[in-house]
Amino acid sequence: MKKPDAPAETRRAPRDGPAGDAPRVTLRGVLLARWALLGVLSPLAWLQHVMPAELGLTPAGLGLGSVLALLVAWALVNLLAWRHSRAERLHPAWGNSGMQILLDVAALTGFFALTGAAANPLTTLYLFPITLATQVSQRWTAGIALASAVGFALLFAFPSPVLDGPHGKHFAGHLAGMWIALAVSGGLITLFIHRIAGALAAQRAELQRLREASAETRHLAALGGLAAGAAHELGTPLGTVRLLIDELEAMNPDERAHAIADVRSELERCKSIVHDMANPELSARTLDQSEPWRLIELAAHLDVDVSPSRLHVEVTNAAHEAPPAGHSLRVISRIVRELMTNAARACKAKATETNIYLTIDAASGHALFTVEDDGTGMLPEVAVAAFQPFFSTRAEGRGLGLFLARAHVEQLGGAVELETVPGRGTKIRVLLPLLPRAAPDE
């Protein structure tokens, strides 16, 4: 039974890419440049042939046919090399860009020998292959520059009617100067272009090192943020555990049983906090790794004691109809819980009855969480510094709650807004995209 033909994609030569196929890309660049060179030399060869004989650019006995034969052979070689550049595997000779450029030097030498030899004014085109060789390597550039100088020197061995004239001796000195200029120019091109290339390579290496150092700094900063967050969150359960243990001896059996259960619950909470700290990179990509959940589930994860204030939770219709969120529910609940805890502390400083309002809303692909209280509010200078690390108006406060909450929100691509009126309360809005941001390409 005959096998079906393979798909067209399997028979196609590999595509050129920025990485892994650099020799093929360089070879095609060299071959394209050769087509351009042939396009320039062909009409010039015809013009030189039809020029008056006084120019003496064509040695005796050789006509336009010999020049055209050389150009046609040169073009055929380029055509074969171009077809070979599409092969799956490059031949060591045909696929070597340096060898192709060396062939151009030989062909240029033949062209000049047939069209005036050293007296041909186009001999400066030897700089063309030298410049192309800079795309291959420093060794090839030096080799091509040397080959070009040798090719120019060989042209002096071919006859040229111009050098046989009355001023031939002086013109020969001029041509010798052109040869020296070519050799010096080739050497300078080899030296300076590759020095520039080396400097660029060093800059790329330094840039890569700085990127790695920056990534390491971010990791260390993330670890510091995790440590600060863990210390901040461990304070409440550990304080509760210590309080319960100090009062165990004065409790009756039933109270002691409840206290032990509470201690176990707080220890589990501490264990969860320490487990979260085991991840050293607190980044949006890490936090985004979560099962989708509905906004209406958030209220069930907010175990916050706001007494003596009264808590009012409102879930809007838009939140009920919103698509599932892609961020970590644990992280979002931690952020909202921290805002509610700060609101409860602000309300405790007020003698009258206070309330805390939590609104869960959604709009335009974003979740909106609003925590509002009618506590003491903030003075303008306090509101400005509220999200700064280690700033707190309480003597026992660490000043990390709001700072870490905003840091987490910004890492998730969201924003935090604060409104406050001294003596009347504070409102904090958290705007978060329902879906995580796309991770950048590495």
Side-chain angles (χ1 to χ4, degrees):
M1 182 176 180
K2 183 179 180 181
K3 294 183 180 180
D5 293 335
E9 288 77 3
T10 61
R11 298 194 301 266
R12 188 177 302 165
R15 292 184 178 180
D16 296 336
D21 209 11
R24 190 185 304 273
V25 174
T26 303
L27 176 62
R28 290 194 176 184
V30 169
L31 299 180
L32 284 173
R34 182 186 287 170
W35 284 124
L37 180 61
L38 287 170
V40 171
L41 292 179
S42 299
L44 288 177
W46 180 79
L47 286 175
Q48 288 182 348
H49 179 74
V50 299
M51 293 285 270
E54 289 79 6
L55 293 179
L57 294 179
T58 303
L62 296 176
L64 182 62
S66 302
V67 178
L68 292 180
L70 172 64
L71 293 177
V72 169
W74 198 356
L76 288 176
V77 169
N78 199 46
L79 180 61
L80 292 175
W82 180 261
R83 294 188 61 182
H84 178 74
S85 69
R86 301 180 61 85
E88 183 176 355
R89 183 172 298 179
L90 296 178
H91 190 272
W94 281 94
N96 190 316
S97 299
M99 294 294 293
Q100 293 293 331
I101 299 174
L102 189 61
L103 176 62
D104 290 339
V105 175
L108 274 175
T109 302
F111 177 84
F112 295 143
L114 296 173
T115 56
N120 192 315
L122 300 178
T123 50
T124 52
L125 286 176
Y126 274 122
L127 293 176
F128 185 84
I130 297 175
T131 305
L132 283 180
T134 59
Q135 303 298 315
V136 183
S137 69
Q138 186 171 2
R139 289 185 177 181
W140 270 113
T141 306
I144 296 299
L146 179 61
S148 299
V150 172
F152 197 158
L154 291 175
L155 295 179
F156 288 96
F158 290 86
S160 177
V162 177
L163 297 179
D164 297 332
H167 302 287
K169 184 176 181 181
H170 297 287
F171 191 63
H174 171 74
L175 295 180
M178 291 181 59
W179 176 80
I180 295 174
L182 174 68
V184 173
S185 299
L188 291 177
I189 290 175
T190 303
L191 176 64
F192 286 105
I193 288 185
H194 284 284
R195 286 190 65 179
I196 294 173
L200 291 176
Q203 289 180 358
R204 286 193 294 267
E206 178 66 13
L207 180 60
Q208 180 63 25
R209 187 191 67 81
L210 291 176
R211 286 176 178 172
E212 293 175 356
S214 177
E216 184 176 351
T217 301
R218 289 196 303 270
H219 294 167
L220 291 175
L223 182 58
L226 280 173
H232 179 76
E233 292 199 31
L234 285 172
T236 300
L238 290 178
T240 303
V241 169
R242 180 175 180 178
L243 178 63
L244 292 174
I245 291 178
D246 289 343
E247 296 181 356
L248 279 179
E249 296 180 355
M251 295 179 181
N252 58 46
D254 291 339
E255 292 175 338
R256 187 179 295 111
H258 286 296
I260 292 174
D262 290 339
V263 169
R264 288 175 177 171
S265 176
E266 295 300 323
L267 290 178
E268 285 296 324
R269 183 178 173 185
C270 293
K271 181 180 178 181
S272 176
I273 295 172
V274 174
H275 175 74
D276 291 344
M277 189 181 172
N279 182 5
E281 181 170 357
L282 185 59
S283 64
R285 185 180 304 177
T286 304
L287 299 178
D288 288 340
Q289 296 175 354
S290 170
E291 292 294 329
W293 53 280
R294 307 302 296 265
L295 293 180
I296 57 177
E297 302 176 28
L298 178 62
H301 289 76
L302 300 176
D303 51 343
V304 181
D305 182 14
V306 298
S307 59
S309 302
R310 290 188 300 176
L311 176 63
H312 307 270
V313 179
E314 178 186 2
V315 182
T316 65
N317 292 332
H320 280 86
E321 299 172 358
H327 294 297
S328 170
L329 176 58
R330 174 182 294 183
V331 173
I332 302 302
S333 60
R334 182 182 301 171
I335 293 171
V336 177
R337 188 164 55 241
E338 181 59 41
L339 298 179
M340 294 172 61
T341 300
N342 276 274
R345 290 169 180 165
C347 290
K348 287 180 181 179
K350 199 170 184 179
T352 59
E353 182 178 333
T354 55
N355 299 273
I356 296 176
Y357 305 90
L358 170 64
T359 304
I360 302 174
D361 196 3
S364 303
H366 286 73
L368 177 63
F369 309 109
T370 304
V371 177
E372 184 176 4
D373 65 75
D374 51 11
T376 57
M378 302 180 188
L379 296 173
E381 59 271 19
V382 175
V384 171
F387 292 101
Q388 295 180 2
F390 309 112
F391 174 82
S392 178
T393 56
R394 298 181 297 112
E396 72 279 8
R398 296 183 179 87
L400 291 173
L402 291 179
F403 166 72
L404 291 173
R406 187 179 69 171
H408 289 182
V409 170
E410 291 179 349
Q411 286 180 331
L412 296 175
V416 180
E417 298 178 355
L418 182 145
E419 296 180 7
T420 182
V421 178
R424 297 184 57 180
T426 302
K427 178 189 292 186
I428 297 181
R429 297 187 186 90
V430 176
L431 184 68
L432 277 174
L434 289 172
L435 296 178
R437 293 173 298 183
D441 296 335
E442 297 294 335

